[in-house]
Amino acid sequence: IMSKYVARVGPAVFSKLGKWAYNMSGFNQYGLYRDDCLYENEDVAEAVRRLPRKLYDERNYRILRALHLSMTKTILPKEQWTKYEEDIKYLEPYLNEVQKEREEREEWSKTH
């Protein structure tokens, strides 16, 4: 069922401190989303693998653009920065599913 794969837009809880930390991180100046910057452990890699082609391609485009901007020591114009309130957590539903499956496997392994 595709309905469970609805990406959350914006923060779960809005706070001025959260917005400040988001803007200080700097990744938004390259047009990246928070989910583009997650440490790629096994769970994240599996969640990325499960992304629909369109989301996967969009993610790769943002990352390649950010790498290019970083190499040229430039950032996007401010109006193109990713805004705290508009950050799309596109990977979150897939990652939650992967983590839940892993936890179930670990629990099952303990009992068998």
Side-chain angles (χ1 to χ4, degrees), residues 12-112:
V13 176
F14 184 87
S15 74
K16 289 185 180 195
L17 179 60
K19 185 174 183 174
W20 176 82
Y22 183 89
N23 289 326
M24 289 303 294
S25 67
F27 65 81
N28 64 323
Q29 297 175 8
Y30 294 100
L32 293 171
Y33 295 143
R34 179 203 65 127
D35 286 358
D36 296 332
C37 303
L38 294 176
Y39 175 75
E40 197 155 326
N41 59 23
E42 289 180 22
D43 289 349
V44 172
E46 177 60 22
V48 168
R49 190 189 69 73
R50 294 181 185 191
L51 286 172
R53 187 69 183 179
K54 184 178 187 302
L55 288 177
Y56 183 81
D57 289 344
E58 290 170 352
R59 178 180 197 270
N60 284 339
Y61 172 78
R62 287 189 303 274
I63 291 171
L64 288 172
R65 178 180 60 182
L67 288 170
H68 174 75
L69 289 167
S70 178
M71 286 187 301
T72 58
K73 299 187 186 320
T74 57
I75 58 173
L76 292 171
K78 193 161 188 162
E79 61 272 5
Q80 294 181 29
W81 292 7
T82 305
K83 293 169 187 62
Y84 179 64
E85 303 82 5
E86 298 171 1
D87 189 291
I88 300 170
K89 312 304 186 290
Y90 66 91
L91 195 59
E92 192 173 74
Y94 300 92
L95 186 56
N96 289 341
E97 180 181 63
V98 168
Q99 290 170 337
K100 186 176 178 184
E101 289 172 3
R102 178 181 43 77
E103 289 166 2
E104 287 175 3
R105 278 193 308 274
E106 290 170 355
E107 190 61 35
W108 192 84
S109 295
K110 288 180 190 175
T111 60
H112 290 87

